[in-house]
């Protein structure tokens, strides 16, 4: 019995460390400019930037068995298992909990159920930054980025699949959180600094 209480205790302690943290979801299509805006938020507000894609790519880079499975999924532009990416984000948040001013969760949730699971296991977001760009703009940017990114998924065929998946699975996330009144849309067709002006306004209003 003691052991069970202890486990429950640890579980509660862990989630308490991040339950009250300020959490901003950064959602937008592939190549919309999420990463670019997150870097500017980190520089100005000191938030902790957790890119779900980067966390996954780090696991792939580790050469682990799990990394090999993730690589196979990601290079097809498909979604990895929910628990895998959620546990990685949670571990990364806990590791920074004592020093973080708040968390920018970049590229997550990608489906409504990912958002619901996040809220069950970690906490509620106070803002969803919706980085909005046209499809052709995203393709153009990613093809350009693909010249130097070395990413297995920055190629025309996979970009198209990622875009399709974004419209099918991720746009409903925006509608879900619009229902909560916490979505702020930024027009990522504009020059980077003007986009960041809109991002700053949304964060300053928190
Ligand atoms: N919650 C998540 C986040 C990422 N991925 C997978 C599918 C993505 O195509 C890949 C890379 O994620 P990124 O967020 O890095 O890539 P994006 O598609 O968002 O584009 P970008 O890097 O341009 O932001 O990882 C996933 O399955 N589930
Ligand atoms: N012209 C232009 N390019 C941008 C803008 N934001 C990002 N990019 C470029 O588009 C590519 C994708 O940006 P990134 O931040 O990685 O987008 P993400 O895929 O949503 O994380 C990168 O090569 C950026 O340099 C923007 O506002 N204007
Ligand atoms: Mg990115």
């Amino acid at each position: 019995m003691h052991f069970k209480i202890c486990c429950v205790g640890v579980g509660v302690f862990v989630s308490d460390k991040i339950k009250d943290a300020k959490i901003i979801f950064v959602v937008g299509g592939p190549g919309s400019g999420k990463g670019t805006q997150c870097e500017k938020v980190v520089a100005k507000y000191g938030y902790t930037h957790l890119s779900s894609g980067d966390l996954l790519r780090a696991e792939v880079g580790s050469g682990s068995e799990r990394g090999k499975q993730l690589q196979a999924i990601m290079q097809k532009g498909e979604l990895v298992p929910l628990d895998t990416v959620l546990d990685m984000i949670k571990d990364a948040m806990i590791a920074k909990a004592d020093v973080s001013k708040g968390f920018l969760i970049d590229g997550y949730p990608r489906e409504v159920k990912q958002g619901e699971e996040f809220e069950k296991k970690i906490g509620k977001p106070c803002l969803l930054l919706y980085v909005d760009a046209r499809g052709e703009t995203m393709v153009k940017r990613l093809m350009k980025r693909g010249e130097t990114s070395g990413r297995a998924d920055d190629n025309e065929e996979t970009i198209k699949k990622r875009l399709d998946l974004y419209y099918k699975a991720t746009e409903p996330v925006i509608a879900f959180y619009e229902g909560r009144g916490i979505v702020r849309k930024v027009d990522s067709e504009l020059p980077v600094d003007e986009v960041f002006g809109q991002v700053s306004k949304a964060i300053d209003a928190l």
Side-chain angles (χ1 to χ4, degrees), residues 50-59 74 85 106-108 110 151:
L50 296 178
S51 159
S52 44
D54 291 348
L55 291 172
L56 292 164
R57 279 184 287 277
E59 180 69 23
M74 289 164 68
V85 63
D106 173 1
Y108 185 102
R110 270 191 155 71
R151 278 179 51 165

Side-chain angles (χ1 to χ4, degrees), residues 11 14 16-17 21 33 51 55 59 63 78 105 120 143 145 195:
V14 159
D16 278 355
K17 272 173 78 106
S51 159
L55 291 172
E59 180 69 23
E78 293 167 3
I105 308 298
K120 266 192 227 143
M143 290 304 285
R145 188 180 74 182
V195 179

Side-chain angles (χ1 to χ4, degrees), residues 11-38:
V12 167
F13 172 70
V14 159
S15 54
D16 278 355
K17 272 173 78 106
I18 51 181
K19 190 168 58 66
D20 301 326
K22 204 179 259 186
I23 296 166
I24 297 177
F25 284 160
V26 183
V27 177
S32 55
K34 300 183 294 297
T36 300
Q37 293 305 317
C38 285

Side-chain angles (χ1 to χ4, degrees), residues 95-114:
K96 297 272 185 172
D98 299 333
V99 296
S100 178
K101 293 207 176 96
F103 292 97
L104 284 174
I105 308 298
D106 173 1
Y108 185 102
R110 270 191 155 71
E111 305 171 289
V112 172
K113 67 177 169 27
Q114 285 193 3

